[in-house]
DNA sequence: CTGAAAGCGCTTACAG
DNA sequence: CTGAAAGCGCTTACAG
């Protein structure tokens, strides 16, 4: 392995000077700098990042952490489930943004131990953390907030000394989805909603209610069907719904996510109901797959790129602004959403027309 | 930060002894060991992995590398594309297996520089590499093979001093898919195939041909439709196919992947063709989504868990068997596949019956 | 502008 | 079984 020592020798300077040149210190003569460059090139030198991390007490590494359920779940064991394809699509941008800032992404093999969890991250000298906390009650989160490692949460309302969060305007998204249906003449609108005890689910439920209210429509809580986030549960829930209700008792469904909508579509199809002829369906997220469902899915697009960009930028700036802790907590970032109309929604057809 | 120094002091021993106790050396008295354990517990000590990496010249980190196209593509920028959902599903297992072995997963922010690529991995002291090389021509791969960092490739035929690969039995999978259709009475079977210049695509094409041959059916190269791996291209290709050919000129389609099959289904549906009534369709991979397509997709299941387990186990054993290089190259691992019958395939309906 | 020296937190021969 | 010492490859006050 070629070290800075060898570069120094070849360039006829000390290791200190090599280090300065490498780190862009102004206190290096043009001459020395040039010789060092040459030596580096001819030796193919690359600094040892591990040694750098040790002495700087900080690595150029950002950890991606996930809190999901209280099982020993890893990042992908959760994202890999279909209901989280949305987050998966985000990871692309996460990685890209982080790489662009010249940080590595680390997926720690975190043991579930609550105490050692934070400590082990500290011992890895991670510069910061991008965290997705699907289960906000996870004890590790509190520890993380206290530890004051720069952290940006995605989709979970956690703030601390050195942490903040970014999330879509879920309320507004759900409101627009519902409003869209109302404008098409729908009045009896079912919502299949998940995680109403969490920030995402509850915001979406509120948006649904708000839209009805704004339109002066009655809110029938019986039309609110709790369901899991995943395709299978949404499918089962829809089956139950179809068993419980007469065909004309509702004319539209707002699904909590696209993957849930896929389950909804399948159940409707099995019952011989046409979409949007008999029932209109709206998803949420705008996952890639929406274009290929039958029919293509009208949905609420979350601006993943904007979310991630905001998250990473904020994180980097927290990291690089050094120890300056924001005791008050940093303001969260709410990114805008957008209604994407495809073919799963249409005007309501009145019973007599049917 | 609490260091081994403090543990040593509290336990009344030297740092060397603490280190030995920590690393399970037998050369520590039961007494000392006990005091050290107590000190560790009371101080909440956790060793600094960065310092360990420096002195051991190796970190407990495995890099996940991806070679895809010649663009500056990151792991997820490629896996995030729908055509690679298959690999995404694998990552879950990759992470799990790696975590189980107490290694961290690193996604390096690899600059595209070919030379520094390997060097930068070396400088991160990664213990080993899991590599997915969709573009086997990528120059970085050769460099990697030469560098002899323990590496296991997934789905690409690359072997070197300290590297091998794991892949499904693609040929057999494709052969079984085709054979399944033949047994249902199909004779004119189209295949939408991708990457026939690569190991996966070519193996699958061979399997298709082999099945026809074994059944004594003629091989009509006109029925082989090249296409990209993604849904959109498969959709377009199917549209072309439907324009070029009479409805009865073929009765089944073997798609190169499930995501391609989704595009196929959509195109068929748009043309008013029923599946499997008019055309049978088989996918490849058995992605989660297959259960929710319309109709649920018959496909070839790749045993992702087995692939990953084999890959990680092999990698770890390469890492831990130390420098013992296998000049001859290690044998590759071929994992078995399985035909999963769902509802997108059915017996051929003869023209006169139609 | 530059170098000698100390130090980051650990491990590991080497002696005992 | 244990400790003092050297060392992993770098950075950074401190002097000059």
């Amino acid at each position: 392995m070629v070290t800075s020592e060898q570069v120094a020798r070849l360039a006829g300077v000390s290791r200190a000077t090599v280090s300065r040149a490498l780190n862009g210190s102004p206190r290096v003569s043009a001459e020395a700098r040039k010789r060092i460059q040459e030596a580096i090139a001819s030796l193919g030198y690359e600094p040892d990042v591990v040694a750098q991390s040790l002495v700087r007490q900080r690595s150029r590494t950002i950890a991606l952490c996930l809190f999901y359920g209280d099982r020993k779940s890893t990042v992908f064991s959760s994202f890999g489930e279909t209901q989280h394809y949305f987050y998966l699509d985000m990871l692309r941008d996460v990685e890209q943004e982080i790489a662009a800032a010249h940080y590595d992404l680390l997926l720690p093999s975190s043991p579930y131990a609550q105490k050692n969890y934070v400590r082990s991250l500290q011992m890895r000298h991670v510069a910061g953390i991008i965290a997705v906390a699907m289960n906000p009650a996870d004890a590790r989160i509190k520890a993380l907030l206290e530890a004051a490692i720069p952290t940006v949460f995605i989709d979970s309302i956690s703030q601390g000394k050195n942490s903040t969060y970014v999330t879509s305007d879920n309320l507004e998204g759900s409101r627009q989805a519902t409003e869209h249906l109302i404008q098409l003449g729908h009045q009896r609108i079912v919502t299949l909603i998940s995680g109403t005890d969490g920030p995402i689910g509850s915001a979406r439920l509120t948006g649904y209610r708000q839209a009805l209210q704004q339109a002066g429509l009655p809110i029938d809580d019986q039309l609110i069907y709790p369901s899991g986030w995943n395709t299978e549960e949404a499918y089962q829930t829809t089956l139950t719904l179809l068993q419980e209700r007469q065909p004309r008792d509702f004319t539209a469904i707002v699904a909590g996510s696209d993957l849930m909508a896929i389950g909804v579509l399948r159940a409707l199809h099995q019952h011989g109901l046409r979409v949007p002829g008999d029932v209109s369906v709206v998803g949420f997220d705008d996952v890639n797959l929406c274009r290929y469902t039958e029919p293509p899915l009208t949905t609420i697009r979350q601006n993943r790129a904007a979310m991630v960009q905001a998250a990473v930028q904020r994180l980097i700036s927290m990291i690089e602004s050094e120890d300056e802790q924001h005791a008050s907590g940093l303001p969260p970032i709410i990114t805008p959403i957008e209604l994407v109309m495809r073919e799963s929604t249409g005007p309501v057809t009145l019973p007599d027309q049917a």
Side-chain angles (χ1 to χ4, degrees), chain A:
Chain A
M1 181 155 66
V2 29
T3 70
S4 69
E5 172 73 48
Q6 297 170 46
V7 173
R9 210 144 44 202
L10 185 57
V13 295
S14 71
R15 289 189 302 156
T17 304
V18 171
S19 175
R20 290 195 194 94
L22 231 44
N23 296 299
S25 158
R27 317 223 131 282
V28 179
S29 69
E31 225 181 324
R33 195 181 298 279
K34 180 156 162 284
R35 285 207 310 276
I36 292 170
Q37 300 295 359
E38 288 170 359
I40 288 176
S42 90
L43 293 172
Y45 170 75
E46 188 89 357
D48 186 308
V49 296
V50 170
Q52 289 180 322
S53 301
L54 181 62
V55 62
R56 290 178 180 156
Q57 291 291 75
R58 171 180 290 166
S59 73
R60 281 195 87 82
T61 295
I62 289 175
L64 178 63
C65 297
L66 182 105
F67 307 100
Y68 177 59
D70 43 9
R71 297 167 305 149
K72 232 180 175 173
S73 55
T74 56
V75 171
F76 291 107
S77 73
S78 313
F79 286 158
E81 297 178 34
T82 49
Q83 65 265 40
H84 298 129
Y85 272 17
F86 169 72
Y87 289 117
L88 265 181
D89 283 345
M90 283 182 96
L91 288 186
R92 164 186 17 202
D93 298 325
V94 168
E95 191 193 4
Q96 207 118 259
E97 291 286 333
I98 287 180
H102 299 291
Y103 282 83
D104 289 332
L105 229 199
L106 186 77
L107 309 191
S109 66
S110 15
Y112 183 57
Q114 301 179 194
K115 300 224 163 151
N116 293 102
Y117 183 73
V118 170
R119 255 213 150 63
S120 76
L121 288 175
Q122 286 173 326
M123 292 303 84
R124 282 163 173 80
H125 293 281
V126 301
I129 300 172
I130 294 283
V132 180
M134 300 175 187
N135 170 21
D138 196 306
R140 290 172 292 179
I141 295 174
K142 224 183 69 191
L144 214 53
L145 293 175
E146 281 163 4
I149 303 176
T151 304
V152 175
F153 287 85
I154 288 178
D155 269 3
S156 61
I157 316 298
S158 302
Q159 288 182 86
K161 294 168 242 174
N162 243 326
S163 54
T164 188
Y165 66 91
V166 50
T167 189
S168 275
D169 195 342
N170 286 292
L171 190 156
E172 176 63 12
S174 181
R175 201 194 61 71
Q176 283 189 23
T178 312
E179 185 179 70
H180 167 61
L181 291 168
I182 294 172
Q183 283 169 353
L184 287 168
H186 298 275
Q187 306 217 46
R188 298 281 294 166
I189 302 172
V190 164
T191 185
L192 247 68
I193 191 77
S194 185
T196 47
D197 50 337
I200 314 295
S202 67
R204 292 188 189 171
L205 184 55
T206 305
Y208 162 81
R209 288 199 164 113
Q210 217 169 78
L212 293 171
Q213 208 169 293
Q214 287 170 352
L217 291 171
I219 297 177
D220 180 355
D221 277 354
Q222 308 281 30
L223 295 180
I224 299 170
Y225 281 77
S227 167
W229 286 113
N230 61 65
T231 307
E232 183 62 25
E233 287 186 60
Y235 168 68
Q236 297 295 349
T237 305
T238 308
L239 250 29
T240 308
L241 161 69
L242 291 170
Q243 219 169 319
E244 287 178 6
R245 304 202 164 264
Q246 297 307 311
R248 286 280 138 206
D249 191 19
F250 65 94
T251 60
I253 299 178
V254 177
S257 74
D258 290 338
L259 271 296
M260 288 171 76
I262 290 176
V264 170
L265 289 178
R266 173 138 186 74
L268 292 173
H269 186 95
Q270 277 189 356
H271 274 244
L273 292 167
R274 287 160 311 139
V275 176
D278 298 309
V279 180
S280 283
V281 177
V282 188
F284 206 113
D285 292 344
D286 195 30
V287 165
N288 284 317
L289 252 4
C290 290
R291 279 190 292 269
Y292 304 105
T293 54
E294 193 48 51
L297 198 65
T298 293
T299 191
I300 298 295
R301 172 180 300 159
Q302 294 202 57
N303 194 335
R304 293 181 282 253
M307 292 176 77
V308 168
Q309 205 179 312
V312 175
Q313 276 177 10
R314 174 64 60 90
L315 182 61
I316 304 276
S317 86
M318 281 165 67
I319 291 170
E320 293 177 357
S321 74
E322 292 300 323
D323 342 61
E324 188 198 311
Q325 294 196 6
H326 308 257
S328 53
L330 291 81
I333 302 163
I334 312 291
T335 52
I337 51 71
E338 181 189 354
L339 174 67
V340 178
M341 280 182 251
R342 295 207 180 85
E343 299 163 34
S344 65
T345 50
V348 71
T349 50
L350 297 175
D352 22 311
Q353 294 177 327

